[in-house]
């Protein structure tokens, strides 16, 4: 347990002391601020359809997904690939720590930093509450969706980082994994077979966020996030174990 906590602490320090982390934070706030301004400006037009700003903010714009698809590889590309490139992974693996503890420590540090990145956007709900009423239930479920989707994307990034010594290749590999995960669900409306339609609908992340933004917490979505995250982390653990004995 102490080895796991030491890994978690080390990675958290690496995140919060890295200039790149603050560049990502600034970029995220800039893009999210711009998107929030666009949504409020659009809904302020009397000719626009009636809608809730925060419901649109939670995953209903292409910018939201664009941010996730590009931010996640940046957050995870270093985690294991840098350890392999510098040779410190061999030293780490000879210490009294399991591959699972290494992977979980690094993953949870990335997830914690991801949550911190999104925390400032709570101010948008405060702005809306200042001038109008806010239903906090959908706001909470919207953030639950953001954490759920992010947990899967970060786990995919950890796996990609375990597969290569290059941070750049790890980032590209993460992007290659995430793009199909995002686009599979969009095929729901392009197929006629009912079984295929249900399968694509289950994977439709856009629909997931639409439900969360409306305050609908479907346990099937949570099962998907947990199972996909566990699968990616298990594969990352096995990858480390295989390379340990080479």
């Amino acid at each position: 347990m102490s080895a796991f906590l030491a890994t978690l602490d080390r990675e958290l320090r690496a995140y919060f002391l890295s200039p790149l982390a603050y560049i990502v934070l600034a970029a995220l706030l800039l893009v999210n601020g711009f998107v929030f301004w666009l949504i409020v400006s659009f809904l302020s037009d009397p000719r626009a359809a009636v809608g809730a700003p925060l419901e649109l903010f939670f995953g209903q714009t292409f910018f939201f997904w664009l941010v996730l698809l590009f931010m996640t590889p940046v957050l995870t590309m270093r985690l294991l690939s840098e350890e392999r490139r510098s040779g410190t992974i061999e030293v780490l693996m000879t210490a009294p720590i399991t591959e699972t503890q290494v992977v979980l420590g690094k993953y949870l540090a990335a997830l914690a930093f991801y949550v911190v990145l999104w925390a400032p956007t709570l101010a948008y709900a405060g702005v809306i509450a200042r001038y109008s009423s806010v239903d906090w239930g959908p706001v909470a479920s919207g953030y639950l969706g953001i954490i759920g989707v992010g947990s899967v994307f970060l786990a995919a990034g950890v796996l990609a980082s375990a597969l290569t010594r290059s941070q750049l290749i790890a980032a590209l590999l993460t992007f290659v994994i995430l793009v199909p995960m995002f686009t599979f669900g969009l095929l729901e409306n392009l197929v006629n077979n009912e079984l295929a339609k249900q399968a694509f609908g289950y994977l439709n992340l856009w629909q997931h966020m639409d439900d969360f933004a409306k305050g609908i917490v479907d346990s099937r979505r949570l099962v998907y996030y947990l199972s996909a995250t566990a699968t990616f982390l298990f594969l990352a653990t096995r990858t480390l174990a295989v390379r340990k004995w080479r």
Side-chain angles (χ1 to χ4, degrees):
M1 189 64 180
S2 59
F4 162 74
L5 292 177
T7 303
L8 177 62
D9 179 66
R10 176 172 170 246
E11 291 304 324
L12 284 173
R13 288 174 184 274
Y15 271 119
F16 286 100
L17 296 178
S18 168
L20 180 62
Y22 293 94
I23 293 174
V24 173
L25 174 61
L28 180 68
L29 291 179
L30 187 65
V31 173
N32 279 334
F34 176 68
V35 171
F36 184 70
W37 174 79
L38 281 179
I39 291 172
V40 171
S41 299
F42 171 73
L43 294 177
S44 298
D45 190 330
R47 296 168 296 179
V50 176
L54 293 174
E55 186 176 320
L56 292 175
F57 178 74
F58 290 129
Q60 299 309 301
T61 69
F62 186 69
F63 291 106
F64 173 85
W65 297 104
L66 205 60
V67 165
L68 282 188
L69 291 174
F70 282 96
M71 179 180 71
T72 306
V74 173
L75 292 182
T76 57
M77 64 182 183
R78 175 193 57 82
L79 289 175
L80 289 165
S81 62
E82 179 60 20
E83 299 270 18
R84 293 188 57 202
R85 187 198 64 77
S86 63
T88 53
I89 192 69
E90 285 80 6
V91 178
L92 186 63
M93 288 293 94
T94 57
I97 183 171
T98 66
E99 295 85 3
T100 302
Q101 288 174 322
V102 171
V103 169
L104 284 181
K106 290 177 177 290
Y107 170 74
L108 290 179
L111 184 60
F113 187 70
Y114 172 85
V115 172
V116 170
L117 289 178
W118 282 98
T121 62
L122 280 168
Y124 304 150
V127 171
I128 298 298
R130 175 72 175 77
Y131 298 99
S132 179
S133 61
V134 172
D135 186 348
W136 293 101
V139 173
S141 62
Y143 279 105
L144 178 63
I146 289 175
I147 294 173
V149 173
S151 67
V152 178
F153 281 18
L154 290 170
V158 171
L159 171 61
S161 186
L163 292 171
T164 176
R165 297 173 184 268
S166 167
Q167 293 189 38
L168 179 60
I169 293 176
L172 291 174
L173 189 55
T174 303
F175 190 74
V176 168
I177 296 173
L178 297 186
V179 168
M181 289 183 64
F182 172 68
T183 54
F184 274 161
L186 302 181
L187 300 176
E188 178 184 2
N189 297 322
L190 301 179
V191 296
N192 294 321
N193 182 278
E194 190 57 33
L195 185 60
K197 188 181 282 292
Q198 289 181 7
F200 285 128
Y202 182 68
L203 299 173
N204 192 336
L205 296 178
W206 200 297
Q207 184 60 48
H208 290 194
M209 285 307 303
D210 185 48
D211 288 347
F212 281 117
K214 292 174 179 172
I216 303 171
V217 179
D218 190 333
S219 59
R220 292 174 300 173
R221 316 299 194 204
L222 302 180
V223 169
Y224 170 73
Y225 301 146
L226 289 174
S227 56
T229 298
T231 301
F232 282 129
L233 295 182
F234 172 76
L235 292 175
T237 302
R238 298 317 304 161
T239 301
L240 275 191
V242 168
R243 296 190 183 283
K244 178 180 179 179
W245 298 109
R246 283 187 175 179

